Amino acid sequence: MKHLKAARPGLDRRAFMGRIIGGGMIGAGLLGSAAFAQDGAASQRNISSFRNRHWNEFFSSLGKGVLLADVSSRAVYYWSGDGQTSRVYPCSIPMTEQLTRRGRTEIVRKQTNPSWTPTADMRSRDPSLPAQVAGGAPDNPLGPFALYLSWPAYLVHGTHDTRKIGRRSSSGCYGLYNEHITELFGMAEVGTQVAVF
């Protein structure tokens, strides 16, 4: 590490990460090969699960923006309507294939401090679930912001339980770290095109 600092003054891991994330580069794909290059087995697992995707694989134009939810990579991709902003966020995914709805939809509503109402199916699997949890409550699993899709009961939202990110842990939604949903909520518009695959 001393050699790197001597060769490039002021360049450290935090600055490098800040440039990647702040610059809108797709850091997960860039870092995936570097982070696992020393361990062949880990590299094989990483390569098989994460794939860099692009909006034009699913839509003919950006419109108001594009959001892709990649179940295999456990990532949400976002592009703004003007094409100037792109982001990749790690996410939680549905627990089973039966709970995973795939296809095209759009963002139809944005909500700050969304209330959570477990579906009838969720309550049949876990009768201890409450009928509803108020928005902003500490036990509300939706976090501070939610983007509602045209499919009933499917959302992209935050979560206070960060252990869920990168895992099969939801009943159909895509959960992001709260700082990521805060950023995405500020950028994504109602009418943003969504593809889940």
Side-chain angles (χ1 to χ4, degrees):
M1 193 65 167
K2 286 186 178 184
H3 176 70
L4 177 63
K5 285 187 177 182
R8 308 260 337 240
L11 182 64
D12 62 14
R13 184 173 188 269
R14 184 170 288 168
F16 176 73
M17 293 298 294
R19 288 182 189 154
I20 288 173
I21 295 168
M25 297 162 81
I26 300 178
L30 177 65
L31 292 176
S33 59
F36 294 102
Q38 298 164 352
D39 179 4
S43 178
Q44 289 174 359
R45 284 192 302 271
N46 188 49
I47 289 170
S48 68
S49 65
F50 186 84
R51 294 189 304 158
N52 194 7
R53 304 309 291 240
H54 196 269
W55 64 266
N56 62 10
E57 296 174 59
F58 301 89
F59 299 101
S60 60
S61 71
L62 281 168
K64 290 187 173 184
V66 169
L67 189 144
L68 304 177
D70 183 344
V71 176
S72 296
S73 292
R74 300 176 187 192
V76 167
Y77 302 77
Y78 171 77
W79 289 267
S80 61
D82 63 8
Q84 297 298 307
T85 303
S86 64
R87 297 287 189 271
V88 177
Y89 304 109
C91 69
S92 64
I93 62 170
M95 290 182 279
T96 66
E97 192 60 38
Q98 182 181 11
L99 294 170
T100 305
R101 184 160 182 182
R102 297 175 193 267
R104 293 182 185 181
T105 182
E106 67 179 329
I107 296 173
V108 295
R109 183 166 62 105
K110 296 170 61 171
Q111 182 67 50
T112 301
N113 288 323
S115 61
W116 178 56
T117 305
T119 64
D121 185 54
M122 292 166 72
R123 294 192 72 206
S124 70
R125 285 182 306 203
D126 183 356
S128 70
L129 289 175
Q132 187 175 47
V133 178
D139 57 340
N140 184 323
L142 301 183
F145 299 102
L147 303 171
Y148 289 78
L149 306 181
S150 64
W151 301 329
Y154 285 85
L155 297 79
V156 177
H157 60 80
T159 182
H160 300 299
D161 187 354
T162 59
R163 298 170 299 172
K164 293 182 174 187
I165 305 301
R167 298 174 184 243
R168 290 188 168 277
S169 60
S170 82
S171 291
C173 295
Y174 296 85
L176 305 178
Y177 289 112
N178 284 337
E179 58 269 25
H180 292 163
I181 192 62
T182 299
E183 180 181 53
L184 182 59
F185 187 87
M187 295 184 294
E189 299 179 36
V190 169
T192 293
Q193 305 169 96
V194 177
V196 179
F197 58 96

